[in-house]
Structures are given as C-alpha cells and as structure tokens.
C-alpha cells in the first residue's frame, strides 16, 4: 500500500493501524533495556529472586526482631530475618559509555572538496548548523540510545528566527529533536517493498494536570501529521497536516538488531550473584573463628599482652581458616570480567589496568585499542548511512533557506567519516610528519609559542625573541674605543 493510499483510508484509526504495520523490525524491549541500565532493577536486588534468610533463634532473642511461628502440634519456634548481601554492578552502563566514547569521542569529519565559492558556502553553512545544535552532544545521545535501546531518531525542523549565522541572511534557524524509546517514544518506521523508509511515525504521551493524553505523529516527504487520542479514537489535531518544506522525510532513523550488552547480561547476572554470595560468606567468616576441643577454663581479655588461655588436660584450640575457596571465587570473578570485556570488545582502561603500562609508543597504543577500533568499524554500518542522511536533510533545508545555493547543495559531495577515539603519542606523530617533509619544521615559531601556552602575551614574546635574534646575529668590526683614547 502506498503512502497516498494509506491517507485515503476511512478513519484515522485505520491510517494509524496501517502505519504501525510495516515496521519489519521488532520493537525493542524497553523494560529489559531499562532493567539492564538501572542497577536497582537487577535480579540480584529482587527480594523474590534473592530472598532474605530466616534464621532460627533462641527464645532469649525474641525481643530482637524475632518472629514466633507456631507449628500444627502447638510448638513455637522463633525466627529472625537476616538480610542477604546484594552487590549490583553497573557494567552494562560502563560498556555503553565506552562504546559511545570510542565512536563519538572525536567528532565525525564531514569530508568535501568544494569546486567553487557556492559549494564552499554550503560546506560552511553545514558546519555552522551542526555547531548550532551542539552536534557533539547530539551524536553521543543518539549513540547511547541506539546502543542501550536498539534505536533512535532525530527530527530536523526550522524555527522562525532571522539571523546571519549560516553565512547568509536567513529567516529561520535549524533545530533538532531526538526521538527515542529511552524518552518514552515508540517508533514506527514504515518501509516499502524495496526496504526504503517512506514514512516515519512515533507515538508518545503527555501529562497535564494529572491527565495523560496520547498522540501519534507521522512524517512523510511532503507532510507532517499529528493525531490526538480522544473518546472516539484518534482525531487529527487542528492545523495539521503541515507541509514539511523539503522533499525528504525530515527524520533520520538508526537502529541495531541487539542491545549492546545482550550477549553478556547472563554473565553479569552470574558475576553479581557470585559477588553477593561471597559478601555473605565474608560476613560470616571474615573474622577469625576458634575451634576448641575439651574444656577451656579461662580466656584472655581483649588487648591483654602475654595472655594465657587455660584448659583441662587434652583440650586443644585452633583457628578455622579457608583453604581453596577464596582462590576459586577469585578465579571465576576474573574469568567472568575477562569474558564480559572480550565479548563486548570493551577495553579495560581502569586505573588498576593501565597504571603499570608506562610510556607507550603510538604503534603500541594502536595495538592496545585495536579491538575497540574494530568494534567502531562494525558500528560504521549503522552510522555511515545515518550521518549521510543527516547531511542530505540539512542540505535540503539550506537550499530552501537560500535558493541561490540550491544548485551547489545538489552538486556538492560531502562524505561523513567516523574517527575512532585514540590516545595519541604527540612525539611519534611529530616525528612521522617531520620525517615525511625532510625534517623541516611543521609549525612556525609563533604557532609553537601559542601552542605551549606558557606566554601570557604571545605577540609580545615573539617580538622580544626577534629582537634577541637581531642582537645575537649582529657584529662589530674592530674593538670598541672610548672617547679620548688615541
């Protein structure tokens, strides 16, 4: 069914039902995503999945929060509830943070080779529009949503605000809004038989004065629709549909098939169970315990030096200690952590992991983060198309805001490039470029003064250095003589 045929259906409910039907991508399980990212929702924190213990106590402890249970034969037993240890670890959130940082720690480059002044003006306008919407933060929010909730979308639209920020007079300023399951949106991309997205919709709710109102919003390449859910179903909001102003859907949609931590969630659950059980064991056995046989007649007092413990003949006393248990637990914890980091291609760059590395060359650093960079290359399958479509949408708006640049917007070639984050070795990079240009300087002296950041007035410092060089390079023929010498 074409888009035109959809909007000719009898009722708004029929239209919305059809727009929801051709998603072809399973809806993300938002509850599972939020559960993984919120440590308070982990299984280890559930009193049902990990119940507290009931410990039998003597009648003397009845006042100590004990509960009396009477059996069928009339006998009573006192029980006390002992809270178990619950150690939740926010590894899922850490994995997503690291993935976002490696993909968007450096801003993507928008490579182009303008062939004339108009194309140069288009490239400048694109950069200023991206700067105006704080594109660095925008990219990271989009990445965090896709990694954590499988999908996200961004909506570009103009608002009336006369300005010259884009290099030409314009009556409009560009804005961008994110749609994401993390923010309560349910996304419905509509794909045709060839896999192209021909419409994009979202359902969302707004609460006002305690009343929740549901909305459904749709974007096509020509129109923007908005429906509100009332007593008789959905009705179109007054003033809609509106023209989009460009011949493209002003929404960029991106998704991945799995949650970023989907393959390791079970390992993290096991790690949390292991840590919690080990914490319980420490509560019981971390303090030294003494096992005695026979009759002990006298104990030493706390802090008493040279203490003697008296016992009858044949009595013995020894500390109870663990044998293999702590090492076995430590081995499993280390193995689980290694598997979690390896499967998700997440480098362990904690302080403990890197403090012994010392100074490393640029090649060694690249090898150290090679796995993380390979992961970034996999993510390019998502973000190369995503960023390219963003460029195309913005170019359409530039052509509408300044019609004299419409031909340049059509002809210019701009290719986004994701640059993985990397700790660089400045000396290695400098040596590389100096070797490439025959050991000649790569910056001027003035630029090096500014880059060093030591001088408070680089221009004055440069002037003094030039004067000093002039004095050092000057010379006098013959010996200087005083007046009156002959």
């Amino acid at each position: 069914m074409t888009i035109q045929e959809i909007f000719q259906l009898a009722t708004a409910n029929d239209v919305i039902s059809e727009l929801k039907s051709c998603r072809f991508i399973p809806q993300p399980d938002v509850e599972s995503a939020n559960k993984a990212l919120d440590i308070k929702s982990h299984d280890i924190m559930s009193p049902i999945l990990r119940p507290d213990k009931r410990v039998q106590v003597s009648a003397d402890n009845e006042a100590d929060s004990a509960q009396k249970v009477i059996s069928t034969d009339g006998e009573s037993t006192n029980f006390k509830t002992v809270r178990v240890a619950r150690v939740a670890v926010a590894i899922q959130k850490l994995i997503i943070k690291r993935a976002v940082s490696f993909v968007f720690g450096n801003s993507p480059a928008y490579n182009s080779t303008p062939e004339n002044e108009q194309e140069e003006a288009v490239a400048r306008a694109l950069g200023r529009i991206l700067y105006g919407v704080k594109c660095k933060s925008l990219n990271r929010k989009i990445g965090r949503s896709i990694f954590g909730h499988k999908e996200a979308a961004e909506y570009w639209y103009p608002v009336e605000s006369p300005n010259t920020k884009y290099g030409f007079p314009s009556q409009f300023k560009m804005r961008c809004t994110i749609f994401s399951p993390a923010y309560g949106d349910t996304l419905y991309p509509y794909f045709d038989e060839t896999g192209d997205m021909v419409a994009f919709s979202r359902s969302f709710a707004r609460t006002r004065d305690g009343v929740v109102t549901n909305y459904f919003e749709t974007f096509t390449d020509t129109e923007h629709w908005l429906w509100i859910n009332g007593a008789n179903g959905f009705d179109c909001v007054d003033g809609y549909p509106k023209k989009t102003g460009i011949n493209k859907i002003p929404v960029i949609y991106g998704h991945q098939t799995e949650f970023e931590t989907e393959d390791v969630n079970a390992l993290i659950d096991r790690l949390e169970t292991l840590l919690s059980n080990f914490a319980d064991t420490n509560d019981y056995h971390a303090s030294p315990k003494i096992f005695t046989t026979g009759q002990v007649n006298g104990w030493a007092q706390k802090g008493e030096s040279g203490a003697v413990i008296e016992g009858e003949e044949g009595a013995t006393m020894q500390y109870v200690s663990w044998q293999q248990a702590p090492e076995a637990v430590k081995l499993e914890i280390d193995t689980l952590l290694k598997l979690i980091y390896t499967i998700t291609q997440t480098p362990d760059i904690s302080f403990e992991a890197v403090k012994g590395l010392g100074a490393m060359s640029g090649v060694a650093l690249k090898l150290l983060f090679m796995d993380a960079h390979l992961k970034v290359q996999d993510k390019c399958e998502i973000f190369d198309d995503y960023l390219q479509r963003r460029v195309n949408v913005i170019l359409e708006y530039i052509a509408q805001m300044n019609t004299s640049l419409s031909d340049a917007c059509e002809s210019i070639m701009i290719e986004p490039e994701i640059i993985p984050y990397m700790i660089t070795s400045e000396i290695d990079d400098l040596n590389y470029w100096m070797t490439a240009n025959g050991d000649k300087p790569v910056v001027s002296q003035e630029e090096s003064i500014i880059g060093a950041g030591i001088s408070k007035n680089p221009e004055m410092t440069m002037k003094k250095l030039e004067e000093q060089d002039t004095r050092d390079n000057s010379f006098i023929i013959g010996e200087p003589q005083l007046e009156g010498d002959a």
Side-chain angles (χ1 to χ4, degrees):
M1 184 177 292
T2 65
I3 291 298
Q4 291 75 16
E5 293 172 341
I6 292 175
F7 287 102
Q8 292 176 0
L9 294 175
T11 65
N13 290 333
D14 294 334
V15 174
I16 292 172
S17 178
E18 176 61 27
L19 290 171
K20 291 181 177 181
S21 65
C22 285
R23 176 183 164 91
F24 297 146
I25 301 171
Q27 283 283 359
D29 188 347
V30 178
E31 184 178 352
S32 296
N34 293 335
K35 177 182 176 182
L37 295 175
D38 182 12
I39 61 173
K40 296 180 181 179
S41 301
H42 288 191
D43 289 347
I44 201 67
M45 305 298 291
S46 171
I48 297 175
L49 299 176
R50 185 179 175 82
D52 292 329
K53 296 179 180 179
R54 282 208 317 166
V55 180
Q56 184 176 351
V57 295
S58 62
D60 297 337
N61 293 329
E62 184 174 352
D64 188 14
S65 67
Q67 297 177 348
K68 180 180 293 186
V69 178
I70 302 176
S71 60
T72 55
D73 56 4
E75 295 184 0
S76 63
T77 307
N78 292 325
F79 288 94
K80 178 182 178 182
T81 300
V82 178
R83 295 186 180 275
V84 297
R86 305 179 191 276
V87 182
V89 187
I91 296 184
Q92 289 99 329
K93 191 179 294 184
L94 174 65
I95 291 171
I96 292 175
K97 285 181 179 179
R98 296 265 172 89
V100 170
S101 296
F102 273 99
V103 176
F104 291 119
N106 294 322
S107 297
Y110 292 87
N111 302 319
S112 65
T113 307
E115 297 180 354
N116 51 54
E117 292 184 359
Q118 286 189 324
E119 291 189 356
E120 290 179 357
V122 170
R124 287 195 300 270
L126 173 68
R128 292 178 179 182
I129 288 174
L130 293 174
Y131 175 80
V133 298
K134 300 177 177 61
C135 195
K136 288 184 177 180
S137 298
L138 175 67
N139 290 334
R140 296 175 72 89
K141 291 176 182 177
I142 290 292
R144 186 170 291 108
S145 178
I146 292 178
F147 297 154
H149 291 80
K150 289 188 181 180
E151 62 182 6
E154 60 185 60
Y155 166 46
W156 287 85
Y157 59 97
V159 295
E160 191 168 353
S161 176
N163 69 91
T164 57
K165 292 182 177 180
Y166 306 143
F168 52 81
S170 173
Q171 296 298 314
F172 298 94
K173 183 184 296 184
M174 293 304 301
R175 287 287 181 263
C176 183
T177 298
I178 297 176
F179 301 151
S180 168
Y183 305 150
D185 300 311
T186 304
L187 310 184
Y188 296 99
Y190 189 94
F191 299 99
D192 63 10
E193 294 79 3
T194 63
D196 291 335
M197 189 177 74
V198 295
F200 179 88
S201 306
R202 67 156 180 156
S203 63
F204 62 98
R206 293 291 181 265
T207 303
R208 184 174 183 180
D209 298 331
V211 178
V212 179
T213 306
N214 295 312
Y215 295 88
F216 193 87
E217 189 173 25
T218 299
F219 301 89
T220 68
D221 57 352
T222 58
E223 294 179 322
H224 174 197
W225 291 76
L226 180 63
W227 293 273
I228 185 172
N229 191 14
N232 299 320
F234 282 96
D235 292 313
C236 188
V237 176
D238 292 340
Y240 288 85
K242 297 179 179 180
K243 297 296 183 182
T244 59
I246 59 175
N247 295 322
K248 293 183 181 295
I249 301 174
V251 176
I252 298 93
Y253 171 74
H255 78 283
Q256 64 181 25
T257 57
E258 295 181 344
F259 296 116
E260 196 66 23
T261 61
E262 190 165 327
D263 293 335
V264 297
N265 282 335
L267 297 178
I268 296 174
D269 287 342
R270 171 60 184 169
L271 176 64
E272 291 176 337
T273 301
L274 195 65
L275 291 172
S276 299
N277 291 341
F278 194 52
D280 277 333
T281 304
N282 276 339
D283 289 340
Y284 283 100
H285 303 296
S287 300
K289 290 183 174 58
I290 300 175
F291 178 77
T292 62
T293 59
Q295 179 68 36
V296 177
N297 295 328
W299 293 86
Q301 299 298 319
K302 180 179 178 181
E304 182 180 352
S305 60
V308 176
I309 301 176
E310 299 179 355
E312 294 184 354
E313 184 178 355
T316 61
M317 179 182 298
Q318 60 183 353
Y319 278 103
V320 178
S321 61
W322 294 343
Q323 298 298 325
Q324 301 290 333
E327 288 300 321
V329 173
K330 182 178 183 301
L331 175 62
E332 186 172 359
I333 291 174
D334 292 342
T335 303
L336 287 171
L337 287 172
K338 186 180 297 183
L339 285 173
I340 291 168
Y341 284 130
T342 301
I343 292 173
T344 58
Q345 294 179 280
T346 303
D348 183 6
I349 51 177
S350 62
F351 177 76
E352 289 296 325
V354 302
K355 68 179 183 180
L357 295 179
M360 300 182 68
S361 66
V363 176
L365 285 170
K366 291 180 180 179
L367 291 175
L368 182 64
F369 294 111
M370 183 175 66
D371 200 26
H373 284 197
L374 291 176
K375 180 177 181 178
V376 174
Q377 296 304 313
D378 290 338
K379 298 302 180 184
C380 286
E381 296 178 5
I382 303 170
F383 293 108
D384 280 349
D385 292 342
Y386 186 96
L387 296 176
Q388 187 65 65
R389 175 160 173 75
R390 174 193 287 174
V391 170
N392 296 340
V393 169
I394 296 176
L395 291 182
E396 286 287 337
Y397 276 115
I398 293 174
Q400 295 293 327
M401 289 188 291
N402 188 347
T403 55
S404 65
L405 298 177
S406 57
D407 292 338
C409 290
E410 185 70 25
S411 61
I412 191 172
M413 301 293 292
I414 300 178
E415 182 182 13
E417 179 186 2
I418 292 177
I419 303 173
Y421 178 77
M422 184 66 195
I423 300 175
T424 59
S425 172
E426 288 82 1
I427 295 298
D428 288 342
D429 292 344
L430 183 60
N431 290 335
Y432 171 82
W433 290 111
M434 290 184 66
T435 302
N437 72 352
D439 286 335
K440 295 180 180 179
V442 294
V443 295
S444 66
Q445 186 175 10
E446 185 176 0
E447 289 173 326
S448 66
I449 293 172
I450 296 174
I454 299 175
S455 174
K456 296 182 178 180
N457 190 338
E459 293 182 0
M460 182 62 69
T461 301
M462 188 63 194
K463 184 177 180 181
K464 291 181 179 179
L465 289 174
E466 290 175 351
E467 293 175 353
Q468 181 177 334
D469 288 342
T470 301
R471 290 196 303 269
D472 293 342
N473 294 330
S474 63
F475 62 94
I476 301 175
I477 299 176
E479 295 183 358
Q481 295 183 350
L482 300 176
E483 294 185 8
D485 292 346

